Amino acid sequence: MAITRTQNPLDWRAIASVAAGEPLILGADAQANIRSARVLVEQIVARSIRAYGVNTGVGALCDVIVSQDEQHDLSHNILMSHAVGVGEPLGADETRAIMAAAINNFAHGHSGVRLEVVERLAALLEANCLPEVPAFGSVGYLSHMAHIALVCVGAGHVRWNGERVSGAQALQRLGLQPLSLQAKEGLSLVNGTPCVTGLAALALHRAERLLDWADVVAAMSFENLGGQIAAFDTRSLAFRVSPGLAHVGERLRAALAGSALLEISLGRRTQDPLSVRTIPHVHGAARDTFAATAEVVNRELASVTDNPIVAGTPESPRVYSQAHAVGASIALAMDSLATAIAQVAAMAERRLDRLVNPLVSGLPAFLAHACGTRSGFMIAQYTAASLVAQNRREAAPASLDGGVTSGLQEDHLCHATPAALKALAVIENSNRILGIELLAAAQAYDLQPLDAARAPYTDAIYASVRATLPTYRDDRPLSDDMTFAFRLVADGAPPPLPGTARDDTGTVSREPALDMPPIARSTAAPASRAVPGAVGV
């Protein structure tokens, strides 16, 4: 379904939808906003009102006056000098998300670019002709948008239908001429926080799916380990005030309803280990962090993040050259989300370790058939431990990195875009950890010594996995199974849990029980997925 940018800003879900391939349409109100802002810039130029990046240089050159005759050169040269990204290019989803967020920002009507500039970005999106954007090299936002904007003027490169072509060739194939940028347009094209807001929307989309899978996979491990279901009791959980905790408790009770395995385990222990009994607390805390992050991202998308901002009327134009392009709040939010997801994954690895450890699991050592000649999931747990360690490194806060640029003019840096890239890497690694735990939980069901039925929901998940993958007997490379499980977790949501639902505020409501569709996912990694810092599939 097409996403339309109206008078109202897009939210993170809309950005994520465009990232996934939905068309983005500029509504009449948005177009009017853009045109009105351009009139203000033209008046600023005509009256020689001093405005940063319009008739002055940028950065530490902000006090150097630029004549009207030089303003085209200033805009054009900004793109050339700011396109300094390095490393592997972002994936298609990431690039589309950034472009959608940029269009959303221009549509506020306070940037001052011409409508045809915004329409050029929209045309590239519509054709899925995506600029090649190196992932690294930004302390805030400049280099990513510069590489995107290069294509608008016939420079740079694009990825289109699996082919890498120059920006000039791409425009020619689309029947478009390179744009000749006018006053302020070069600065507006590289400015603001579209990079981090676009990437953050994508991170929220992937994190939401991950958190749903984390509850499901944790329930399977809980059942295999004979957990004490009292840990999820409504009255007990109600003593801690947390919408996320209450929601996870609801989901776990639904997932494990009707488990004969858990009935046998009732009263066997006073309490379970922390990685087993604190699932609602850790997953719930992550969901509360998710909700807070989503609020910050939506506020950022509703904000004007250009510098300078143009406002007022054609008769009395105003210029605000301050600091709205600095993304401190969203940098902190991305750091928080990365830490929350890393903690969920770290606890998943601890449950995985309990599944493979015969000293605590009551299952064959390392979930291996014919233990001794077969290692089962012994080394898969090593991989999960390695990914947890990598997440720990990635979760170090980017927002504290600091630094000084532009001859002391920019002497405080928030590293918002790197924070979002790190969050995406943590989510990707965590999906792999959950995929390994999912495989181990399915294997544990195969080796259960207790002759008792699984819960209907966990049994359906198990059956869906086994419809594609047979029990593991050291008879094939386990990495292939891990790839399947990773794609399963990363590419789609789990079947809905009967009786539970949640709106965007985290409120739990009751729904009729839903029939669970089978899980069917390709083992092939989609070409659009490329997250710097994450481990390859």
Side-chain angles (χ1 to χ4, degrees):
M1 183 178 69
I3 304 298
T4 302
R5 177 42 160 106
T6 63
Q7 184 70 26
N8 299 318
L10 301 180
D11 64 11
W12 74 262
R13 291 191 186 277
I15 298 291
S17 294
V18 176
E22 294 293 346
L24 176 57
I25 298 170
L26 274 173
D29 288 343
Q31 293 182 40
N33 289 344
I34 294 167
R35 289 193 184 96
S36 295
R38 185 62 203 174
V39 171
L40 297 178
V41 170
E42 290 168 353
Q43 287 299 310
I44 289 166
V45 170
R47 300 181 191 188
S48 297
I49 298 170
R50 189 166 178 172
Y52 172 75
V54 179
N55 44 35
T56 77
V58 296
L61 302 175
C62 60
D63 292 323
V64 177
I65 302 301
V66 176
S67 70
Q68 288 191 28
D69 292 340
E70 297 174 309
Q71 287 169 11
H72 158 76
D73 290 343
L74 173 62
S75 280
H76 184 83
N77 294 346
I78 283 173
L79 300 193
M80 301 303 149
S81 63
H82 287 51
V84 293
V86 297
E88 291 297 312
L90 296 176
D93 289 4
E94 287 79 5
T95 305
R96 288 183 62 88
I98 292 172
M99 294 171 71
I103 292 170
N104 175 72
N105 191 45
F106 295 140
H108 287 307
H110 292 284
S111 295
V113 300
R114 288 169 295 157
L115 179 59
E116 64 186 284
V117 173
V118 187
E119 289 176 333
R120 178 60 50 87
L121 292 173
L124 294 173
L125 265 180
E126 183 179 4
N128 208 35
C129 179
L130 303 180
E132 188 175 87
V133 185
F136 301 116
S138 174
V139 297
Y141 43 78
L142 297 171
S143 67
H144 294 79
M145 278 305 302
H147 281 277
I148 290 171
L150 284 178
V151 178
C152 296
V153 299
H157 290 86
V158 302
R159 300 278 181 172
W160 196 7
N161 298 327
E163 184 183 2
R164 182 178 190 256
V165 300
S166 71
Q169 289 175 305
L171 293 182
Q172 186 176 34
R173 292 183 187 182
L174 287 169
L176 300 171
Q177 293 295 318
L179 292 175
S180 177
L181 298 183
Q182 298 181 10
K184 196 182 184 292
E185 290 179 334
L187 181 57
S188 288
L189 279 166
V190 303
N191 216 334
T193 62
C195 298
V196 61
T197 47
L199 295 173
L202 206 54
L204 286 169
H205 174 65
R206 294 176 183 175
E208 185 174 52
R209 250 182 349 217
L210 181 146
L211 291 171
D212 283 348
W213 271 110
D215 295 342
V216 169
V217 175
M220 296 170 72
S221 293
F222 184 92
E223 191 174 31
N224 273 299
L225 294 168
Q228 299 302 297
I229 194 67
F232 309 147
D233 179 75
T234 306
R235 290 164 297 183
S236 173
L237 294 180
F239 286 108
R240 177 174 285 277
V241 179
S242 162
L245 179 145
H247 178 59
V248 173
E250 178 91 353
R251 286 174 56 79
L252 290 169
R253 291 191 298 273
L256 294 167
S259 172
L261 278 170
L262 292 184
E263 287 181 12
I264 293 174
S265 302
L266 284 175
R268 223 166 46 180
R269 286 182 296 275
T270 302
Q271 60 182 23
D272 292 310
L274 285 172
S275 63
V276 178
R277 63 185 158 99
T278 63
I279 297 168
H281 302 75
V282 173
H283 291 196
R287 286 180 179 272
D288 289 341
T289 300
F290 174 94
T293 302
E295 182 179 350
V296 170
V297 175
N298 281 340
R299 286 205 307 264
E300 197 78 10
L301 288 165
S303 299
V304 180
T305 64
D306 210 331
N307 179 34
I309 291 168
V310 296
T313 65
E315 296 73 29
S316 181
R318 298 291 303 273
V319 179
Y320 298 92
S321 178
Q322 303 306 326
H324 288 326
V326 176
S329 60
I330 198 167
L332 291 167
M334 285 293 97
D335 280 342
S336 296
L337 183 67
T339 301
I341 297 300
Q343 186 171 114
V344 168
M347 196 165 76
E349 185 276 328
R350 290 292 79 211
R351 290 191 302 268
L352 168 64
D353 182 66
R354 299 193 76 83
L355 287 173
V356 303
N357 188 340
L359 300 177
V360 295
S361 69
L363 297 164
F366 307 110
L367 303 176
H369 282 269
C371 188
T373 61
R374 298 172 181 171
S375 300
F377 281 73
M378 178 194 292
I379 311 303
Q381 187 264 326
Y382 289 27
T383 300
S386 172
L387 292 172
V388 166
Q390 182 174 345
N391 275 353
R392 190 177 300 114
R393 294 187 289 269
E394 294 281 3
S399 53
L400 290 180
D401 283 346
V404 179
T405 58
S406 196
L408 297 179
Q409 177 71 5
E410 295 167 355
D411 57 356
H412 178 72
L413 306 174
C414 294
H415 296 271
T417 298
L421 288 170
K422 289 191 327 83
L424 285 166
V426 167
I427 293 165
E428 200 87 332
N429 291 337
S430 300
N431 279 329
R432 290 184 171 85
I433 294 167
L434 286 175
I436 297 171
E437 185 187 7
L438 173 62
L439 293 178
Q443 185 85 350
Y445 283 137
D446 293 330
L447 301 174
Q448 269 292 338
L450 300 175
D451 184 18
R454 295 176 282 273
Y457 184 86
T458 57
D459 184 64
I461 301 291
Y462 164 79
S464 294
V465 173
R466 284 288 171 258
T468 300
L469 300 176
T471 302
Y472 187 68
R473 302 176 184 273
D474 288 44
D475 52 348
R476 58 189 183 271
L478 189 50
S479 62
D480 293 344
D481 291 19
M482 290 161 58
T483 297
F484 164 81
F486 165 59
R487 293 260 63 95
L488 179 66
V489 172
D491 292 346
L497 281 157
T500 63
R502 184 174 69 110
D503 62 23
D504 286 348
T505 66
T507 303
V508 177
S509 61
R510 302 298 301 177
E511 283 187 350
L514 299 173
D515 293 331
M516 285 182 288
I519 301 172
R521 295 288 183 269
S522 169
T523 59
S528 66
R529 217 170 171 79
V531 180
V535 175
V537 174

